[in-house]
Amino acid sequence: MLQSGAAMFLKQQQPSADSRLQLPSDFGRRFLITIDTEEEFDWSAPFERSGHTTITVPMLERFQQFVEKYGIKPVYFVDYSIIENDEAAAFLKRAAEGDNATIGVHLHPWVNPPFDEEVNDHNSFAGNLSKELEEAKIVQLRDRIEERTGIVSKIYRAGRYGVGQNTIEILSKLGFQIDSSVRSRFDYSREGGPDFHHLSPIPFWLDDKKALLELPLTTIYSGPFRQQSDILSGVYNRSPLANAILSKSKLLQRIPLTPEGISAREAKEAIDIALDDNLQLLVFSFHSPSLSPGHTPYVQTEEDLHKFYAWWRDVIAHLEHMNVKPLDVSKLATIN
């Protein structure tokens, strides 16, 4: 039976203490790297069913080799365009069969059959679709991943973080064990998406049976007003002026754990704050097109790509120094 956790995506309330994931005493401090593994497209242009590319697919292997040196098992959240690419499917199959990576489901509705909806901003958030269509798209993607890799994925992240009022019921019905669609402390309601500004990065159960876990992306507030972030986060998210004033004055800064637009210095500061707050699990993320120059605003040149990998070396070294160890995400599903 689903409880109020499903509504937490859409309502301003924190998960109850009972619904929060209680980690065992020997869990320690852990981190997870997740990759939204998707086609390249113009982020500033209207959504289109066609016209995208998958040029960065060969760079997935380079990143995998890089993280394996540190004993890191990343999660590749894979969308339909990627799994239809033969090279990508072969890479993902090898990585998963070698127990070196986890494959998740990543739904971009506009490129994922069945194509029964109009392509527009509103429908780019899968949670805005009808229940039947959202479920059909998730099923087709999950099944296609299984056909191409042999892996039955049990972890989901909506493209554009676009969960809606039916998503949790659908995922529970289909036997998913983890959702990682919440980008804590962010609000996408102005674009027609969900509002997560009220949600912290603490994982929580979405059902009474503790069978479906929400694993939010980690976002930390820093600055003198950090202790008032629960009160100020609504203004921070909804007022560009307030956001600019608070951020530039460093009174309140929102720091997601990502190499995209966040410096290594900021990320290390956020890590330290999270650990001081006794957050035991840190979830990093980025988009796979950042693995090759020219496809995201964050990596435009070869020098940017060099800095991208330097960012990871710096941040991983800091995690090692702070005794924060890599996590195999499949271990989370066994905790209740």
Side-chain angles (χ1 to χ4, degrees):
M1 176 180 176
L2 296 179
Q3 61 164 6
S4 59
M8 289 173 192
F9 291 142
L10 306 174
K11 294 182 179 179
Q12 294 192 18
Q13 58 184 38
Q14 284 285 358
S16 67
D18 289 341
S19 68
R20 292 178 182 176
L21 176 66
Q22 302 299 316
L23 294 168
S25 57
D26 61 351
F27 185 84
R29 299 166 163 180
R30 300 282 180 165
F31 75 94
L32 183 66
I33 296 177
T34 67
I35 303 100
D36 290 359
T37 314
E38 59 194 41
E39 69 283 352
E40 303 93 25
F41 59 95
D42 185 349
W43 289 10
S44 64
F47 294 97
E48 300 285 351
R49 295 222 192 273
S50 59
H52 56 267
T53 61
T54 52
I55 295 169
T56 56
V57 161
M59 304 307 292
L60 295 172
E61 185 75 56
R62 176 185 176 185
F63 185 76
Q64 179 65 32
Q65 292 173 356
F66 172 79
V67 293
E68 281 185 22
K69 291 186 297 184
Y70 297 97
I72 296 169
K73 183 177 179 179
V75 180
Y76 294 98
F77 286 100
V78 179
D79 83 350
Y80 205 89
S81 296
I82 292 295
I83 202 59
E84 286 294 277
N85 180 286
D86 290 341
E87 185 175 1
F91 159 74
L92 292 164
K93 181 179 175 65
R94 288 194 307 272
E97 287 182 344
D99 198 31
N100 294 313
T102 298
I103 302 176
V105 173
H106 188 52
L107 178 58
H108 278 189
W110 60 96
V111 297
N112 198 119
F115 298 124
D116 294 338
E117 83 283 10
E118 180 183 349
V119 177
N120 54 38
D121 286 351
H122 181 267
N123 290 337
S124 69
F125 298 99
N128 289 339
L129 303 175
S130 70
K131 180 180 179 181
E132 293 74 21
L133 184 55
E134 183 182 10
E135 180 176 343
K137 286 179 180 285
I138 293 173
V139 167
Q140 287 215 25
L141 177 54
R142 180 203 61 184
D143 291 352
R144 190 59 175 149
I145 290 172
E146 182 181 4
E147 290 169 6
R148 300 280 275 167
T149 68
I151 302 298
V152 180
S153 181
K154 297 293 186 180
I155 181 169
Y156 176 79
R157 175 175 294 161
R160 308 198 73 202
Y161 319 105
V163 288
Q165 61 183 352
N166 299 310
T167 308
I168 303 311
E169 181 180 350
I170 293 168
L171 295 179
S172 295
K173 173 185 174 182
L174 297 176
F176 281 84
Q177 297 174 330
I178 296 175
D179 177 74
S180 186
S181 300
V182 166
R183 195 180 193 199
S184 64
R185 307 307 193 190
F186 279 77
D187 180 4
Y188 296 96
S189 59
R190 291 176 60 145
E191 305 169 56
D195 178 4
F196 306 128
H197 86 268
H198 54 291
L199 289 175
S200 80
I202 299 173
F204 58 93
W205 296 103
L206 289 159
D207 63 326
D208 293 329
K209 296 180 180 179
K210 296 186 177 180
L212 182 60
L213 178 69
E214 179 56 45
L215 185 61
L217 282 73
T218 304
T219 305
I220 302 297
Y221 278 118
S222 70
F225 287 178
R226 184 171 71 87
Q227 299 301 329
Q228 289 76 45
S229 61
D230 286 344
I231 299 172
L232 295 174
S233 61
V235 175
Y236 189 101
N237 275 276
R238 294 179 183 135
S239 169
L241 178 59
N243 185 313
I245 292 172
L246 289 168
S247 296
K248 291 182 179 179
S249 66
K250 299 189 183 301
L251 291 172
L252 185 67
Q253 289 184 285
R254 183 180 61 189
I255 309 175
L257 291 186
T258 175
E260 296 176 328
I262 299 298
S263 70
R265 178 194 61 77
E266 291 170 324
K268 290 186 290 184
E269 178 186 0
I271 289 167
D272 292 346
I273 292 171
L275 297 179
D276 285 344
D277 288 345
N278 295 316
L279 185 63
Q280 291 179 261
L281 178 54
L282 309 177
V283 182
F284 292 78
S285 69
F286 69 91
H287 301 83
S288 65
S290 286
L291 293 172
S292 183
H295 304 295
T296 69
Y298 312 107
V299 179
Q300 286 291 302
T301 65
E302 286 292 340
E303 181 180 1
D304 290 341
L305 185 59
H306 174 76
K307 291 178 179 178
F308 175 91
Y309 278 97
W311 189 98
W312 281 113
R313 284 189 287 269
D314 193 1
V315 169
I316 291 171
H318 187 67
L319 290 165
E320 290 177 341
H321 176 71
M322 300 300 292
N323 196 31
V324 186
K325 299 178 180 180
L327 172 73
D328 179 346
V329 73
S330 65
K331 302 295 191 294
L332 284 180
T334 63
I335 299 173
N336 53 38

